[in-house]
């Protein structure tokens, strides 16, 4: 099978992300570039922790078409969003779409169009991240059909050149990296930062923190 190692890696990552609660209930999505214009994309509406290597789609990003299509499966509803992120940030090699409860709760308690993080050691886990710098992410409003987010996510990627993620209110987050390993590290760091800020706001509401 072509790209078997990369396909196995994607399946392994799906299992790990399922165990973190990021892709439960068939939610979320994942993609990995295997060549400059070729990407593996997970199927839609399936249990992510049970995906097998032969169930991944191979997609030509230049021609914008499926090259290898598994039988009886539909390509991810996130496909156009993945394409726009790849197009607008050419260094990106892997993207994770998570329905993490931390990402969702963060957008529910923050009505602004952005959210900023500062004074966390974990910021250093982001590529080029510094403890002493404020890191800002965009928050987009959710829509009924995920594919309708594609244009707004693509624009946010351009508008926030230092960000490695776009949050979607009440929905989740798209997180990327220049390799599968970097995307995984970014996803872990962001999820930590999201949870930390939700806890911070909760303590502030109780008057236990300034
Ligand atoms: Zn989603």
């Amino acid at each position: 099978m072509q790209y078997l190692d990369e396909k196995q890696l994607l399946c392994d990552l799906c299992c790990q992300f399922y165990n973190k609660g990021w892709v439960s209930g068939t939610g979320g999505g994942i993609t990995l570039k295997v060549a400059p214009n070729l990407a593996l994309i997970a199927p839609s509406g399936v249990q992510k922790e049970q995906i097998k290597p032969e169930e991944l789609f191979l997609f030509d990003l230049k021609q914008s078409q499926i090259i290898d299509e598994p039988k009886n499966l539909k390509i991810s509803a996130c496909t156009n969003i993945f394409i726009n992120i790849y197009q607008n940030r050419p260094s990106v090699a892997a993207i994770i779409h998570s329905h993490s409860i931390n990402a969702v709760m963060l957008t529910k308690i923050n009505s602004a169009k952005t959210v900023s993080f500062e004074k966390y050691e974990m910021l250093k886990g982001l590529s080029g991240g510094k403890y002493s710098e404020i890191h800002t992410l965009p928050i987009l409003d959710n829509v009924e059909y995920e594919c309708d987010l594609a244009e707004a996510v693509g624009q946010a990627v351009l508008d926030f050149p230092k960000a490695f993620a776009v949050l979607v209110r009440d929905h989740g987050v798209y997180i990327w990296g220049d390799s599968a390993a970097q995307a995984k590290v970014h996803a872990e760091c962001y999820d930590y930062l999201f949870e930390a800020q939700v806890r911070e706001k909760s303590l502030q509401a109780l008057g236990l923190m300034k």
Side-chain angles (χ1 to χ4, degrees):
M1 187 191 298
Q2 215 183 4
Y3 305 119
L4 181 59
D5 288 349
E6 292 89 343
K7 287 178 176 177
Q8 192 58 58
L9 172 63
L10 256 185
C11 295
D12 292 347
L13 287 172
C14 278
C15 278
Q16 291 177 41
F17 297 157
Y18 174 80
N19 289 330
K20 287 179 177 290
W22 294 351
V23 294
S24 55
T26 75
I30 192 165
T31 173
L32 173 67
K33 263 187 197 168
V34 292
N37 289 310
L38 276 185
L40 297 170
I41 299 180
S44 165
V46 300
Q47 298 183 69
K48 298 292 182 289
E49 74 283 13
Q50 293 181 10
I51 293 175
K52 297 180 184 67
E54 60 270 25
E55 293 175 335
L56 295 167
F57 288 76
L58 186 62
F59 193 88
D60 187 320
L61 296 164
K62 205 168 186 183
Q63 307 293 332
S64 201
Q65 64 182 25
I66 296 168
I67 302 283
D68 190 9
E69 186 168 13
K71 274 183 195 151
N72 303 322
L73 288 171
K74 257 177 66 184
I75 196 164
S76 173
C78 311
T79 297
N80 286 336
I81 298 169
F82 291 154
I83 292 169
N84 283 0
I85 296 172
Y86 280 138
Q87 274 178 353
N88 291 353
R89 197 72 71 85
S91 65
V92 171
I95 307 165
I96 298 156
H97 173 45
S98 154
H99 285 184
S100 151
I101 192 71
N102 293 324
V104 172
M105 292 312 293
L106 181 67
T107 64
K108 280 186 177 287
I109 61 169
N110 186 337
S111 59
K113 291 189 182 301
T114 60
V115 60
S116 294
F117 306 91
E118 61 179 316
K119 293 186 177 167
Y120 280 104
E121 177 70 9
M122 205 61 146
L123 286 164
K124 292 185 192 169
L126 303 172
S127 179
K130 289 192 174 131
Y131 169 74
S132 55
E133 275 182 10
I134 296 173
H135 186 80
T136 301
L137 294 181
I139 304 177
L140 305 177
D141 286 328
N142 199 28
V143 294
E144 195 61 45
Y145 299 103
E146 196 141 12
C147 56
D148 293 338
L149 284 167
E151 204 175 312
V153 171
Q155 189 59 48
V157 167
L158 296 174
D159 292 344
F160 291 79
K162 288 189 169 179
F164 305 100
V166 175
L167 284 152
V168 182
R169 198 177 312 285
D170 308 331
H171 181 158
V173 62
Y174 290 85
I175 302 174
W176 56 85
D178 292 352
S179 64
Q182 194 188 69
K184 178 175 176 286
V185 170
H186 283 167
E188 290 166 356
C189 290
Y190 276 129
D191 205 61
Y192 176 103
L193 293 167
F194 299 162
E195 183 175 0
Q197 191 161 126
V198 170
R199 288 197 199 186
E200 240 184 68
K201 300 262 182 197
S202 305
L203 291 169
Q204 283 166 352
L206 292 168
L208 297 171
M209 194 174 167
K210 278 188 183 171

mmCIF file of all heavy atoms in Angstrom, residues 116-141:
data_model
loop_
_atom_site.group_PDB
_atom_site.id
_atom_site.type_symbol
_atom_site.label_atom_id
_atom_site.label_comp_id
_atom_site.label_asym_id
_atom_site.label_seq_id
_atom_site.Cartn_x
_atom_site.Cartn_y
_atom_site.Cartn_z
ATOM 1 N N SER A 116 -6.289 35.921 23.854
ATOM 2 C CA SER A 116 -4.842 36.038 24.015
ATOM 3 C C SER A 116 -4.367 35.270 25.235
ATOM 4 O O SER A 116 -5.105 35.129 26.225
ATOM 5 C CB SER A 116 -4.443 37.512 24.156
ATOM 6 O OG SER A 116 -4.723 38.186 22.954
ATOM 7 N N PHE A 117 -3.126 34.794 25.141
ATOM 8 C CA PHE A 117 -2.515 34.009 26.212
ATOM 9 C C PHE A 117 -1.188 34.657 26.588
ATOM 10 O O PHE A 117 -0.417 35.047 25.704
ATOM 11 C CB PHE A 117 -2.256 32.570 25.752
ATOM 12 C CG PHE A 117 -3.495 31.909 25.212
ATOM 13 C CD1 PHE A 117 -3.802 31.987 23.859
ATOM 14 C CD2 PHE A 117 -4.359 31.236 26.058
ATOM 15 C CE1 PHE A 117 -4.940 31.401 23.359
ATOM 16 C CE2 PHE A 117 -5.507 30.646 25.562
ATOM 17 C CZ PHE A 117 -5.810 30.734 24.208
ATOM 18 N N GLU A 118 -0.939 34.766 27.884
ATOM 19 C CA GLU A 118 0.350 35.299 28.320
ATOM 20 C C GLU A 118 0.710 34.696 29.663
ATOM 21 O O GLU A 118 -0.151 34.221 30.410
ATOM 22 C CB GLU A 118 0.326 36.829 28.400
ATOM 23 C CG GLU A 118 -0.679 37.387 29.380
ATOM 24 C CD GLU A 118 -0.634 38.910 29.434
ATOM 25 O OE1 GLU A 118 0.479 39.481 29.459
ATOM 26 O OE2 GLU A 118 -1.701 39.528 29.445
ATOM 27 N N LYS A 119 2.014 34.761 29.959
ATOM 28 C CA LYS A 119 2.560 34.286 31.229
ATOM 29 C C LYS A 119 2.272 32.808 31.492
ATOM 30 O O LYS A 119 1.775 32.435 32.559
ATOM 31 C CB LYS A 119 2.053 35.165 32.380
ATOM 32 C CG LYS A 119 2.603 36.579 32.287
ATOM 33 C CD LYS A 119 2.243 37.414 33.468
ATOM 34 C CE LYS A 119 2.884 38.780 33.340
ATOM 35 N NZ LYS A 119 2.365 39.742 34.274
ATOM 36 N N TYR A 120 2.504 32.001 30.496
ATOM 37 C CA TYR A 120 2.476 30.546 30.661
ATOM 38 C C TYR A 120 3.745 29.962 30.052
ATOM 39 O O TYR A 120 4.052 30.239 28.888
ATOM 40 C CB TYR A 120 1.259 29.919 29.964
ATOM 41 C CG TYR A 120 -0.013 30.040 30.759
ATOM 42 C CD1 TYR A 120 -0.977 30.963 30.412
ATOM 43 C CD2 TYR A 120 -0.226 29.232 31.875
ATOM 44 C CE1 TYR A 120 -2.139 31.094 31.149
ATOM 45 C CE2 TYR A 120 -1.392 29.352 32.621
ATOM 46 C CZ TYR A 120 -2.339 30.279 32.260
ATOM 47 O OH TYR A 120 -3.483 30.412 32.992
ATOM 48 N N GLU A 121 4.446 29.163 30.807
ATOM 49 C CA GLU A 121 5.647 28.497 30.300
ATOM 50 C C GLU A 121 5.313 27.685 29.046
ATOM 51 O O GLU A 121 6.121 27.559 28.132
ATOM 52 C CB GLU A 121 6.222 27.584 31.401
ATOM 53 C CG GLU A 121 7.441 26.764 31.017
ATOM 54 C CD GLU A 121 8.700 27.614 30.829
ATOM 55 O OE1 GLU A 121 8.681 28.811 31.164
ATOM 56 O OE2 GLU A 121 9.709 27.065 30.331
ATOM 57 N N MET A 122 4.100 27.131 29.005
ATOM 58 C CA MET A 122 3.678 26.276 27.898
ATOM 59 C C MET A 122 3.688 27.007 26.549
ATOM 60 O O MET A 122 3.711 26.355 25.501
ATOM 61 C CB MET A 122 2.286 25.722 28.204
ATOM 62 C CG MET A 122 1.966 24.435 27.513
ATOM 63 S SD MET A 122 3.097 23.108 27.987
ATOM 64 C CE MET A 122 2.004 21.703 27.942
ATOM 65 N N LEU A 123 3.693 28.345 26.560
ATOM 66 C CA LEU A 123 3.771 29.105 25.296
ATOM 67 C C LEU A 123 5.036 28.753 24.525
ATOM 68 O O LEU A 123 5.091 28.856 23.300
ATOM 69 C CB LEU A 123 3.744 30.616 25.583
ATOM 70 C CG LEU A 123 2.368 31.175 25.988
ATOM 71 C CD1 LEU A 123 2.523 32.552 26.619
ATOM 72 C CD2 LEU A 123 1.455 31.250 24.767
ATOM 73 N N LYS A 124 6.067 28.315 25.251
ATOM 74 C CA LYS A 124 7.337 27.958 24.594
ATOM 75 C C LYS A 124 7.216 26.697 23.750
ATOM 76 O O LYS A 124 8.076 26.407 22.930
ATOM 77 C CB LYS A 124 8.436 27.762 25.641
ATOM 78 C CG LYS A 124 8.853 29.018 26.348
ATOM 79 C CD LYS A 124 10.025 28.684 27.265
ATOM 80 C CE LYS A 124 10.341 29.788 28.223
ATOM 81 N NZ LYS A 124 11.301 29.329 29.248
ATOM 82 N N GLY A 125 6.151 25.933 23.971
ATOM 83 C CA GLY A 125 5.934 24.723 23.168
ATOM 84 C C GLY A 125 5.456 25.040 21.764
ATOM 85 O O GLY A 125 5.525 24.189 20.870
ATOM 86 N N LEU A 126 4.983 26.284 21.559
ATOM 87 C CA LEU A 126 4.568 26.700 20.212
ATOM 88 C C LEU A 126 5.810 27.135 19.447
ATOM 89 O O LEU A 126 6.710 27.747 20.039
ATOM 90 C CB LEU A 126 3.580 27.870 20.303
ATOM 91 C CG LEU A 126 2.320 27.595 21.132
ATOM 92 C CD1 LEU A 126 1.515 28.887 21.304
ATOM 93 C CD2 LEU A 126 1.473 26.511 20.471
ATOM 94 N N SER A 127 5.862 26.857 18.161
ATOM 95 C CA SER A 127 7.051 27.196 17.368
ATOM 96 C C SER A 127 7.356 28.697 17.479
ATOM 97 O O SER A 127 6.512 29.532 17.155
ATOM 98 C CB SER A 127 6.781 26.813 15.909
ATOM 99 O OG SER A 127 7.892 27.148 15.131
ATOM 100 N N GLY A 128 8.532 29.030 17.988
ATOM 101 C CA GLY A 128 8.930 30.431 18.157
ATOM 102 C C GLY A 128 8.263 31.106 19.343
ATOM 103 O O GLY A 128 8.456 32.313 19.560
ATOM 104 N N GLY A 129 7.519 30.361 20.128
ATOM 105 C CA GLY A 129 6.782 30.940 21.254
ATOM 106 C C GLY A 129 7.693 31.365 22.389
ATOM 107 O O GLY A 129 8.738 30.760 22.622
ATOM 108 N N LYS A 130 7.283 32.439 23.087
ATOM 109 C CA LYS A 130 8.073 32.955 24.212
ATOM 110 C C LYS A 130 7.167 33.170 25.417
ATOM 111 O O LYS A 130 6.014 33.582 25.271
ATOM 112 C CB LYS A 130 8.697 34.303 23.831
ATOM 113 C CG LYS A 130 9.816 34.204 22.817
ATOM 114 C CD LYS A 130 10.563 35.524 22.736
ATOM 115 C CE LYS A 130 11.774 35.379 21.838
ATOM 116 N NZ LYS A 130 11.860 36.432 20.867
ATOM 117 N N TYR A 131 7.729 32.920 26.598
ATOM 118 C CA TYR A 131 7.001 33.175 27.847
ATOM 119 C C TYR A 131 6.611 34.649 27.950
ATOM 120 O O TYR A 131 5.530 34.992 28.435
ATOM 121 C CB TYR A 131 7.893 32.774 29.031
ATOM 122 C CG TYR A 131 7.361 33.226 30.370
ATOM 123 C CD1 TYR A 131 6.267 32.591 30.958
ATOM 124 C CD2 TYR A 131 7.946 34.306 31.040
ATOM 125 C CE1 TYR A 131 5.769 33.011 32.176
ATOM 126 C CE2 TYR A 131 7.450 34.734 32.258
ATOM 127 C CZ TYR A 131 6.365 34.087 32.823
ATOM 128 O OH TYR A 131 5.872 34.516 34.027
ATOM 129 N N SER A 132 7.501 35.535 27.472
ATOM 130 C CA SER A 132 7.311 36.981 27.667
ATOM 131 C C SER A 132 6.438 37.626 26.592
ATOM 132 O O SER A 132 6.192 38.826 26.653
ATOM 133 C CB SER A 132 8.680 37.670 27.687
ATOM 134 O OG SER A 132 9.384 37.348 26.496
ATOM 135 N N GLU A 133 5.970 36.860 25.619
ATOM 136 C CA GLU A 133 5.160 37.450 24.540
ATOM 137 C C GLU A 133 3.697 37.032 24.642
ATOM 138 O O GLU A 133 3.392 35.910 25.057
ATOM 139 C CB GLU A 133 5.706 37.015 23.179
ATOM 140 C CG GLU A 133 6.835 37.912 22.701
ATOM 141 C CD GLU A 133 7.353 37.525 21.314
ATOM 142 O OE1 GLU A 133 6.716 36.685 20.629
ATOM 143 O OE2 GLU A 133 8.398 38.049 20.954
ATOM 144 N N ILE A 134 2.824 37.944 24.232
ATOM 145 C CA ILE A 134 1.387 37.621 24.200
ATOM 146 C C ILE A 134 1.099 36.892 22.896
ATOM 147 O O ILE A 134 1.543 37.316 21.824
ATOM 148 C CB ILE A 134 0.540 38.907 24.296
ATOM 149 C CG1 ILE A 134 0.781 39.588 25.648
ATOM 150 C CG2 ILE A 134 -0.944 38.599 24.106
ATOM 151 C CD1 ILE A 134 0.120 40.941 25.785
ATOM 152 N N HIS A 135 0.378 35.771 22.992
ATOM 153 C CA HIS A 135 0.033 34.973 21.809
ATOM 154 C C HIS A 135 -1.484 35.054 21.591
ATOM 155 O O HIS A 135 -2.257 34.770 22.498
ATOM 156 C CB HIS A 135 0.461 33.521 22.034
ATOM 157 C CG HIS A 135 0.282 32.648 20.834
ATOM 158 N ND1 HIS A 135 1.180 32.624 19.784
ATOM 159 C CD2 HIS A 135 -0.710 31.794 20.506
ATOM 160 C CE1 HIS A 135 0.750 31.768 18.870
ATOM 161 N NE2 HIS A 135 -0.394 31.257 19.273
ATOM 162 N N THR A 136 -1.873 35.479 20.393
ATOM 163 C CA THR A 136 -3.296 35.720 20.113
ATOM 164 C C THR A 136 -3.823 34.790 19.027
ATOM 165 O O THR A 136 -3.156 34.566 18.015
ATOM 166 C CB THR A 136 -3.504 37.193 19.688
ATOM 167 O OG1 THR A 136 -3.038 38.035 20.749
ATOM 168 C CG2 THR A 136 -4.971 37.500 19.422
ATOM 169 N N LEU A 137 -5.029 34.266 19.249
ATOM 170 C CA LEU A 137 -5.699 33.414 18.256
ATOM 171 C C LEU A 137 -7.036 34.031 17.851
ATOM 172 O O LEU A 137 -7.716 34.644 18.676
ATOM 173 C CB LEU A 137 -5.991 32.028 18.843
ATOM 174 C CG LEU A 137 -4.808 31.136 19.188
ATOM 175 C CD1 LEU A 137 -5.311 29.794 19.723
ATOM 176 C CD2 LEU A 137 -3.901 30.922 17.980
ATOM 177 N N PRO A 138 -7.439 33.835 16.589
ATOM 178 C CA PRO A 138 -8.765 34.308 16.163
ATOM 179 C C PRO A 138 -9.868 33.344 16.629
ATOM 180 O O PRO A 138 -9.632 32.145 16.761
ATOM 181 C CB PRO A 138 -8.653 34.291 14.631
ATOM 182 C CG PRO A 138 -7.616 33.260 14.329
ATOM 183 C CD PRO A 138 -6.667 33.230 15.494
ATOM 184 N N ILE A 139 -11.059 33.903 16.871
ATOM 185 C CA ILE A 139 -12.254 33.081 17.149
ATOM 186 C C ILE A 139 -13.300 33.421 16.081
ATOM 187 O O ILE A 139 -13.732 34.573 15.966
ATOM 188 C CB ILE A 139 -12.857 33.372 18.536
ATOM 189 C CG1 ILE A 139 -11.825 33.180 19.652
ATOM 190 C CG2 ILE A 139 -14.072 32.467 18.783
ATOM 191 C CD1 ILE A 139 -12.353 33.535 21.051
ATOM 192 N N LEU A 140 -13.699 32.428 15.315
ATOM 193 C CA LEU A 140 -14.741 32.605 14.300
ATOM 194 C C LEU A 140 -16.071 32.126 14.861
ATOM 195 O O LEU A 140 -16.097 31.254 15.732
ATOM 196 C CB LEU A 140 -14.410 31.780 13.047
ATOM 197 C CG LEU A 140 -13.040 32.016 12.407
ATOM 198 C CD1 LEU A 140 -12.854 31.065 11.222
ATOM 199 C CD2 LEU A 140 -12.906 33.464 11.944
ATOM 200 N N ASP A 141 -17.161 32.675 14.344
ATOM 201 C CA ASP A 141 -18.477 32.187 14.757
ATOM 202 C C ASP A 141 -18.793 30.900 14.012
ATOM 203 O O ASP A 141 -18.417 30.737 12.846
ATOM 204 C CB ASP A 141 -19.549 33.249 14.498
ATOM 205 C CG ASP A 141 -19.461 34.382 15.510
ATOM 206 O OD1 ASP A 141 -19.063 34.104 16.666
ATOM 207 O OD2 ASP A 141 -19.754 35.530 15.145
#
